[in-house]
Amino acid sequence: MNHVLTQSPTAPVVESAVSLPPLKVRRRKSSMKSRPTIGGMIGRVIVWLLVAFNLFLVVWMVMTSLRDTRDIARDPLGLPTQPHWENFATAWNTGGFGIAAINSVVATVVSSLLVVAIAAPAAYVLAKSTRRLSSTFTLMFVLGLGVPGQVLLVPIYVMLAKFQDISHLKMINSVQGLIVVMVGLGIPFTVFLLAGFFRSLPVEIEEAAAIDGSSGIRTFIQIVLPLARSGLVTAFMLAVISGWNETLFSLVMLTTAENRTLPIALLAFLDQSQFNGADWGGLFAGIVLVVTPVLALFIWLGRRIVEGMTVGISK
Amino acid sequence: MATPVISPARGRSTGRPRAGMSAIERSRRRLYWPMLLPALLLMVLFYIVPILYAGWLSLHTWDGINELKWRGADNYIQLAKDPIFIGSIVNTLKILFVVGIVTFVFAFALTMILRDMMGRKFVRSVLFFPTLINAMVFGIFAGFLFSPAGPINKLLAFVGVQDPPKWLAQDNLFNLIMIVMIWSATGYFTTIIMSAVDQIPAYYYEAAGLDGAGPWAKFRHVTLPLAWDVISVCAVLWTMSSVKVFELILVFGGSTAQAPPASTWSTALYVYQAAFGGGSREFGVSAAAAIVSLALVTVLTIGLRRMLRREAIEI
């Protein structure tokens, strides 16, 4: 039974990856680079247009967030004549984005730290253990990746509500409840990602530590974790990004303004503008608040984020 | 949506402690359960129990307040007769196949174009970035850009198109949603496929070139077979993420205080609307829809893997 189960859904890739000799990434030399064909030229033009469009969206978003709402409605693509910083003030105070930004930061950072702290030891034992049970557990985490959030939505909501009744700890409509959910939901991916990193660490170093008399837990904390630092940072960053963008559960759980996270505040702002008329300036200021932290992270740690999200697939 | 690949637990697993086990092995065994248990517990609480609970709820009728009543398979029968639910399945399948295939074609085209292009890293980063942003933002952007007096129509009028399509009319809305999805997913899959293609040694292309292969023949007979494993993993990744699509559809059109038009719903939207979308809470129906979407993603993933299975080609 176990034997059948050990065939993970991604196993064939792994087999081929294992059987491959370590290949160096080689790029075609410049001799091949010359003479782009007509089709190639057209392709390049299209690619650069696409890049220009994406960059334009970012610039346009920032510009629009600094313009007067009436100006925006009149000419959506115009430049700000003078910066209307009050859009941000409005969004931050009356739009509820201020409290939402604080909630988002707290929920995201705390849940990401917790999920990495809980997933790292598990990923380590799964990566290094030779027990047969381990591959069953590994498979369980892998399968968890494929479960759509909506399947868990109602059950988790009901379970939290019941837990709240029993324990009198606030779960529904509270940031701490959202943190609990984000930690729980983030476990499979983080375990999965970190197991890959731990597996790539050389076993010799731990053996040397053991020979020097280091206990298992000390080896893990003092030797393995520092070695896996880049993996832990990547896992943390990816948890931050997915936590920052979490919408489905936040939408169901966080009902009042003082508990909203940024995506929910954005939705609430949209709803409000149904009745009060659209405040485009404030809306774009809110969008800037949602997008900018991710953009900053990406500029700072882009390579790591990209590798974390694609690692192993192409290995 | 990112997924690294896990490899099966390594080495000679006997499952039983052996005499003469190394010290490192012994201490590892002692730490096995303490390190694994927290993550395992969360996995059980946030994935396994909720899925079982959803299965149980789907056989009942419940509004979350009153007594739970047994309903047998009636929830499922009701879903099968509900044109909105059938529509949401069709939409999810459209996202999976139409958006998926177009995205893959684009991703491959981009990979081929970017292969010898200047600034490929930069281009890749810019195209990758939308993957990291809450799709809600793109929904708002599209609602703004494509509004009747919006920039796109002004631009079209400027080039002489006097009668632009009604982008945000019900009939076109889902198509527009699919276009936005293609735009935001292409960069991610381009990045994965690119790193696979990068590992194909240049001399394969040179050899093919000497044999008189043109760009298409090189793509068909070198790139495609050698990147096949990665493509099949990408297909599975896309299947999983296409069933989860939620935020984009929820806000599409810019300002929806109420639910978006039912013709654009995905299964995730349906689950959310049935349980929390105003009106009476139908947790039973919602859970049944959730179970159907879990079954859908399972069947599709297994089916796709079967379909795309091939002998791994060793480089």
Side-chain angles (χ1 to χ4, degrees):
Chain A
M1 182 62 186
N2 270 351
H3 201 70
V4 182
L5 281 173
T6 52
Q7 181 78 4
S8 83
T10 46
V13 186
V14 174
E15 279 155 29
S16 73
V18 169
S19 62
L20 289 181
L23 276 168
K24 274 215 244 140
V25 178
R26 252 165 294 193
R27 272 245 234 107
R28 259 148 298 292
K29 293 280 165 325
S30 52
S31 63
M32 303 274 296
K33 262 188 192 169
S34 56
R35 306 182 275 101
T37 56
I38 298 285
M41 290 302 291
I42 296 172
R44 281 170 202 207
V45 171
I46 293 173
V47 167
W48 282 114
L49 283 176
L50 203 57
V51 169
F53 175 71
N54 285 11
L55 293 177
F56 156 78
L57 278 186
V58 175
V59 174
W60 172 68
M61 168 190 83
V62 175
M63 289 300 166
T64 311
S65 74
L66 293 174
R67 296 176 65 206
D68 182 62
T69 291
R70 268 159 307 164
D71 280 353
I72 299 170
R74 191 155 19 90
D75 176 18
L77 296 181
L79 293 169
T81 41
Q82 81 237 33
H84 285 258
W85 295 106
E86 68 269 19
N87 285 342
F88 282 88
T90 318
W92 189 268
N93 298 320
T94 50
F97 284 107
I99 186 96
I102 294 166
N103 286 338
S104 264
V105 169
V106 170
T108 305
V109 172
V110 174
S111 70
S112 304
L113 283 174
L114 282 175
V115 79
V116 173
I118 295 171
Y124 175 68
V125 293
L126 287 181
K128 297 293 183 185
S129 162
T130 51
R131 290 193 188 195
R132 194 174 293 172
L133 203 55
S134 298
S135 44
T136 311
F137 290 144
T138 305
L139 178 66
M140 192 174 85
F141 287 112
V142 173
L143 291 179
L145 287 174
V147 178
Q150 69 262 30
V151 177
L152 312 169
L153 184 67
V154 171
I156 288 183
Y157 180 83
V158 174
M159 284 162 69
L160 283 177
K162 291 212 164 128
F163 179 72
Q164 177 175 297
D165 287 347
I166 299 165
S167 68
H168 298 288
L169 290 171
K170 199 136 174 49
M171 287 288 131
I172 304 294
N173 193 20
S174 82
V175 175
Q176 64 188 24
L178 182 68
I179 290 174
V180 170
V181 171
M182 294 205 296
V183 172
L185 295 181
I187 285 287
F189 177 71
T190 313
V191 168
F192 194 39
L193 183 80
L194 287 175
F197 275 100
F198 286 129
R199 209 171 283 116
S200 68
L201 292 181
V203 73
E204 286 81 6
I205 295 171
E206 291 160 66
E207 279 166 2
I211 289 167
D212 287 347
S214 165
S215 71
I217 191 78
R218 236 185 89 202
T219 311
F220 177 67
I221 292 171
Q222 293 192 338
I223 314 276
V224 176
L225 285 187
L227 279 176
R229 203 180 59 219
S230 76
L232 296 174
V233 172
T234 305
F236 177 73
M237 285 305 151
L238 295 184
V240 164
I241 289 172
S242 71
W244 189 257
N245 290 336
E246 208 294 318
T247 307
L248 181 59
F249 282 83
S250 316
L251 181 61
V252 170
M253 288 174 62
L254 310 175
T255 43
T256 53
E258 74 272 13
N259 290 319
R260 282 178 190 138
T261 53
L262 276 178
I264 310 308
L266 199 56
L267 278 175
F269 197 87
L270 275 176
D271 286 355
Q272 248 178 21
S273 62
Q274 284 283 76
F275 304 105
N276 307 345
D279 174 9
W280 293 111
L283 183 66
F284 274 80
I287 293 177
V288 168
L289 285 177
V290 173
V291 173
T292 319
V294 184
L295 182 64
L297 267 188
F298 187 63
I299 289 170
W300 181 32
L301 290 170
R303 192 181 52 83
R304 226 172 227 184
I305 291 167
V306 171
E307 274 171 14
M309 289 178 71
T310 57
V311 76
I313 292 164
S314 53
K315 249 192 202 155
Chain B
M1 79 184 272
T3 308
V5 170
I6 231 152
S7 68
R10 303 167 320 139
R12 27 190 185 92
S13 62
T14 56
R16 250 167 259 106
R18 285 168 297 128
M21 227 173 12
S22 64
I24 182 171
E25 187 79 353
R26 261 202 311 277
S27 77
R28 221 180 242 164
R29 266 165 199 271
R30 233 188 353 259
L31 287 173
Y32 187 80
W33 288 110
M35 288 175 91
L36 188 59
L37 220 50
L40 221 48
L41 196 70
L42 285 178
M43 193 65 198
V44 170
L45 276 179
F46 284 89
Y47 282 86
I48 296 177
V49 172
I51 290 173
L52 296 176
Y53 189 33
W56 186 76
L57 262 184
S58 74
L59 303 174
H60 293 78
T61 174
W62 193 33
D63 58 1
I65 302 158
N66 294 313
E67 201 77 3
L68 192 82
K69 272 203 281 296
W70 173 261
R71 212 173 166 218
D74 284 2
N75 283 333
Y76 292 95
I77 295 168
Q78 184 188 327
L79 284 181
K81 287 182 187 153
D82 183 351
I84 297 179
F85 182 70
I86 302 295
S88 78
I89 297 262
V90 171
N91 282 345
T92 301
L93 291 176
K94 270 193 199 165
I95 294 172
L96 173 60
F97 289 107
V98 179
V99 177
I101 289 170
V102 175
T103 302
F104 271 69
V105 170
F106 280 3
F108 257 111
L110 278 174
T111 304
M112 299 323 266
I113 295 167
L114 286 176
R115 219 177 50 198
D116 318 309
M117 204 169 111
M118 298 257 292
R120 64 204 289 268
K121 291 250 166 71
F122 173 74
V123 171
R124 197 180 59 176
S125 297
V126 172
L127 298 183
F128 184 88
F129 183 61
T131 313
L132 303 177
I133 298 296
N134 193 328
M136 207 188 263
V137 172
F138 305 139
I140 299 172
F141 278 3
F144 188 72
L145 289 173
F146 287 94
S147 63
I152 299 278
N153 281 356
K154 283 195 177 153
L155 214 66
L156 285 176
F158 183 72
V159 237
V161 182
Q162 288 309 319
D163 189 24
K166 292 188 175 55
W167 305 104
L168 301 174
Q170 286 234 5
D171 298 341
N172 293 328
L173 203 54
F174 194 71
N175 293 334
L176 197 55
I177 289 173
M178 292 205 287
I179 291 172
V180 175
M181 268 179 213
I182 293 167
W183 166 78
S184 67
T186 298
Y188 177 64
F189 288 99
T190 307
T191 308
I192 300 176
I193 291 171
M194 239 170 104
S195 54
V197 169
D198 270 352
Q199 293 185 24
I200 300 172
Y203 51 78
Y204 277 47
Y205 290 97
E206 283 155 19
L210 289 178
D211 289 342
W216 171 249
K218 281 181 189 167
F219 171 75
R220 171 75 189 76
H221 295 288
V222 181
T223 311
L224 206 54
L226 287 175
W228 191 258
D229 281 337
V230 172
I231 298 169
S232 107
V233 173
C234 286
V236 172
L237 282 179
W238 177 249
T239 313
M240 291 171 177
S241 46
S242 65
V243 181
K244 295 177 188 170
V245 173
F246 177 73
E247 293 94 333
L248 181 65
I249 298 178
L250 183 68
V251 296
F252 212 90
S255 48
T256 39
Q258 315 88 6
S263 62
T264 65
W265 288 8
S266 62
T267 48
L269 248 300
Y270 190 95
V271 172
Y272 169 77
Q273 292 293 349
F276 301 102
S280 63
R281 293 187 163 184
E282 298 183 77
F283 283 172
V285 176
S286 173
I291 292 292
V292 172
S293 64
L294 184 63
L296 191 71
V297 74
T298 311
V299 169
L300 286 171
T301 309
I302 295 171
L304 265 177
R305 285 219 62 98
R306 285 264 159 83
M307 218 169 77
L308 297 176
R309 182 166 296 165
R310 261 196 197 181
E311 286 297 303
I313 296 165
E314 294 189 14
I315 300 178

